[in-house]
Amino acid sequence: MMDTLRQLIDKHARLPVAAGTLAPAQDLYAAGLTSFAAVQLMLALEEAFDIEFPERMLNRRSFATMNSITTCINELRPQALAS
Amino acid sequence: MCESCPTLLDSLIHKGVLIETGVDGLYGRSGLFEQIVDGFDRMISRTGADQAAEVLRFPPGMNRALFEKSGYLKSFPQLAGTVHSFAGNDRDHAALLDRLARGEDWSEKQEMTDVVLTPAACYPVYPTVARRGPLPADGLVFDLNSYCFRHEPSKEPTRMQMFRMREYVRVGTPDQVVAFRQTWLDRGKILIDKLRLPYKVDIANDPFFGRAGRVMASSQRDLGLKFELLVPVNSEKNPTACLSFNYHQDHFGSTWDIRTETGEVAHTACVGFGMERVTIALFKHHGLDVSKWPAEVRDALSL
Ligand SMILES: [Zn+2]
């Protein structure tokens, strides 16, 4: 899943650096993620993993690191981890 | 308030302070109402006299192309008001009148014009300042005032669809802009103190649309980008934002490519004064009979 996630970040998060250079716990906002781009990333994640983030996950923190994103996805769709 | 009037809105209409139009959130204003608006407007001008602000006044409609580029539709599509007009031939005109007479939908030959109703007083200023090229070293301050439109019909008199917003807008470096917002947070409290209104200042978020908007709103709060000065008017529980203090970071700077003297993307902030909201808050707290308002409030408003 980390590979898919990195691809989506490269495509939608509009960071000045490649997602491959980022550690899973690294702050994406500090790396240049804007609120607008976080929303684009959220929509792309929903599409790619066939999930819908519930109300309680619709906040800034959910998209703060690759770890926090995988935690959300894992909770919503545990089998996505295998892909 | 008036004995037989169940709500503040009813009282204001009964007293002739606001004039009904048949549409919620769209009201006429009496001369007295306007005197209070003018008095508050002058208080703001006195408070901001040291800002060396450039006064600009735009009409309540803005260039649709600029509105589209502003990103407003990304965040608030539900609030936007676009101006449409008839574009058809004689036969279409006859069909329009026919449908009108039958009480049917007559919007078929209406086409979008180049005008969109201004959603916030500061929106037209960013493309204007961008066209001028890099900012001077001290940045710039603008003084704006415009009727604004937001499509949110409501029975709360403080939530109008068309209302006036006075603003000071700061464009400059992050330091300049953050200092400006702090200055106005302090000054806003002093202004409202002079009007003897109860208030609190709290962190806030804009009414971003949809699920994506939840993330935007959460970010805005976490980063402390928006504060509001809230006065209880309709209820204690949901007090009314009468002033707002907004730090946009580089949102408008990068959207419009506004550059500082040294070539960095400019940051912006604005302080907005809800002219009708403050006026209605005054009626709520000091009563419908302005002659009985506290002398210092009348003095401050030159009433
Ligand atoms: Zn503004």
PDB file of all heavy atoms in Angstrom, chain B residues 120-122 126 165 167 169 246 248 270, ligand 1:
ATOM      1  N   ALA B 120     -17.201  38.822  -0.944  1.00  0.00           N
ATOM      2  CA  ALA B 120     -16.561  39.464   0.210  1.00  0.00           C
ATOM      3  C   ALA B 120     -15.877  40.717  -0.322  1.00  0.00           C
ATOM      4  O   ALA B 120     -15.372  40.717  -1.448  1.00  0.00           O
ATOM      5  CB  ALA B 120     -15.535  38.536   0.860  1.00  0.00           C
ATOM      6  N   ALA B 121     -15.869  41.748   0.504  1.00  0.00           N
ATOM      7  CA  ALA B 121     -15.408  43.050   0.014  1.00  0.00           C
ATOM      8  C   ALA B 121     -13.984  43.017  -0.519  1.00  0.00           C
ATOM      9  O   ALA B 121     -13.616  43.793  -1.390  1.00  0.00           O
ATOM     10  CB  ALA B 121     -15.534  44.093   1.129  1.00  0.00           C
ATOM     11  N   CYS B 122     -13.167  42.089  -0.004  1.00  0.00           N
ATOM     12  CA  CYS B 122     -11.753  42.100  -0.392  1.00  0.00           C
ATOM     13  C   CYS B 122     -11.467  41.362  -1.695  1.00  0.00           C
ATOM     14  O   CYS B 122     -10.375  41.496  -2.242  1.00  0.00           O
ATOM     15  CB  CYS B 122     -10.885  41.545   0.735  1.00  0.00           C
ATOM     16  SG  CYS B 122     -11.201  39.819   1.164  1.00  0.00           S
ATOM     17  N   TYR B 126      -7.400  41.786  -4.748  1.00  0.00           N
ATOM     18  CA  TYR B 126      -6.189  40.983  -4.986  1.00  0.00           C
ATOM     19  C   TYR B 126      -5.739  41.018  -6.452  1.00  0.00           C
ATOM     20  O   TYR B 126      -4.559  41.264  -6.721  1.00  0.00           O
ATOM     21  CB  TYR B 126      -6.389  39.548  -4.481  1.00  0.00           C
ATOM     22  CG  TYR B 126      -6.810  39.519  -3.026  1.00  0.00           C
ATOM     23  CD1 TYR B 126      -8.078  39.101  -2.657  1.00  0.00           C
ATOM     24  CD2 TYR B 126      -5.946  39.967  -2.033  1.00  0.00           C
ATOM     25  CE1 TYR B 126      -8.480  39.107  -1.329  1.00  0.00           C
ATOM     26  CE2 TYR B 126      -6.344  39.966  -0.701  1.00  0.00           C
ATOM     27  CZ  TYR B 126      -7.616  39.539  -0.358  1.00  0.00           C
ATOM     28  OH  TYR B 126      -8.012  39.554   0.952  1.00  0.00           O
ATOM     29  N   MET B 165     -19.933  44.956   4.017  1.00  0.00           N
ATOM     30  CA  MET B 165     -18.734  44.568   4.733  1.00  0.00           C
ATOM     31  C   MET B 165     -17.687  45.652   4.511  1.00  0.00           C
ATOM     32  O   MET B 165     -17.358  45.979   3.380  1.00  0.00           O
ATOM     33  CB  MET B 165     -18.244  43.237   4.178  1.00  0.00           C
ATOM     34  CG  MET B 165     -17.274  42.505   5.063  1.00  0.00           C
ATOM     35  SD  MET B 165     -16.580  41.087   4.177  1.00  0.00           S
ATOM     36  CE  MET B 165     -17.938  39.961   4.168  1.00  0.00           C
ATOM     37  N   GLU B 167     -13.793  46.586   5.152  1.00  0.00           N
ATOM     38  CA  GLU B 167     -12.579  45.803   5.392  1.00  0.00           C
ATOM     39  C   GLU B 167     -11.338  46.664   5.322  1.00  0.00           C
ATOM     40  O   GLU B 167     -11.280  47.621   4.554  1.00  0.00           O
ATOM     41  CB  GLU B 167     -12.414  44.681   4.336  1.00  0.00           C
ATOM     42  CG  GLU B 167     -13.380  43.535   4.456  1.00  0.00           C
ATOM     43  CD  GLU B 167     -12.919  42.309   3.665  1.00  0.00           C
ATOM     44  OE1 GLU B 167     -11.704  42.018   3.654  1.00  0.00           O
ATOM     45  OE2 GLU B 167     -13.787  41.659   3.051  1.00  0.00           O
ATOM     46  N   VAL B 169      -7.454  45.550   4.368  1.00  0.00           N
ATOM     47  CA  VAL B 169      -6.723  44.401   3.833  1.00  0.00           C
ATOM     48  C   VAL B 169      -5.238  44.729   3.837  1.00  0.00           C
ATOM     49  O   VAL B 169      -4.827  45.801   3.381  1.00  0.00           O
ATOM     50  CB  VAL B 169      -7.173  44.080   2.396  1.00  0.00           C
ATOM     51  CG1 VAL B 169      -6.365  42.913   1.829  1.00  0.00           C
ATOM     52  CG2 VAL B 169      -8.662  43.756   2.356  1.00  0.00           C
ATOM     53  N   ASN B 246      -8.865  37.614   9.478  1.00  0.00           N
ATOM     54  CA  ASN B 246      -8.514  36.477   8.638  1.00  0.00           C
ATOM     55  C   ASN B 246      -7.085  36.566   8.126  1.00  0.00           C
ATOM     56  O   ASN B 246      -6.695  37.567   7.532  1.00  0.00           O
ATOM     57  CB  ASN B 246      -9.452  36.429   7.429  1.00  0.00           C
ATOM     58  CG  ASN B 246     -10.911  36.519   7.844  1.00  0.00           C
ATOM     59  OD1 ASN B 246     -11.461  35.566   8.392  1.00  0.00           O
ATOM     60  ND2 ASN B 246     -11.515  37.670   7.637  1.00  0.00           N
ATOM     61  N   HIS B 248      -4.820  34.786   5.457  1.00  0.00           N
ATOM     62  CA  HIS B 248      -4.972  33.878   4.308  1.00  0.00           C
ATOM     63  C   HIS B 248      -3.668  33.177   3.959  1.00  0.00           C
ATOM     64  O   HIS B 248      -3.630  32.459   2.967  1.00  0.00           O
ATOM     65  CB  HIS B 248      -5.439  34.655   3.083  1.00  0.00           C
ATOM     66  CG  HIS B 248      -6.523  35.664   3.338  1.00  0.00           C
ATOM     67  ND1 HIS B 248      -6.376  37.019   3.104  1.00  0.00           N
ATOM     68  CD2 HIS B 248      -7.776  35.508   3.835  1.00  0.00           C
ATOM     69  CE1 HIS B 248      -7.491  37.652   3.416  1.00  0.00           C
ATOM     70  NE2 HIS B 248      -8.360  36.783   3.876  1.00  0.00           N
ATOM     71  N   CYS B 270      -7.073  40.108   6.280  1.00  0.00           N
ATOM     72  CA  CYS B 270      -8.082  41.165   6.262  1.00  0.00           C
ATOM     73  C   CYS B 270      -8.839  41.165   7.580  1.00  0.00           C
ATOM     74  O   CYS B 270      -8.936  40.148   8.262  1.00  0.00           O
ATOM     75  CB  CYS B 270      -9.049  41.008   5.087  1.00  0.00           C
ATOM     76  SG  CYS B 270     -10.109  39.564   5.157  1.00  0.00           S
TER      77      CYS B 270
HETATM   78 ZN    ZN C   1     -11.523  39.858   3.341  1.00  0.00          ZN
END
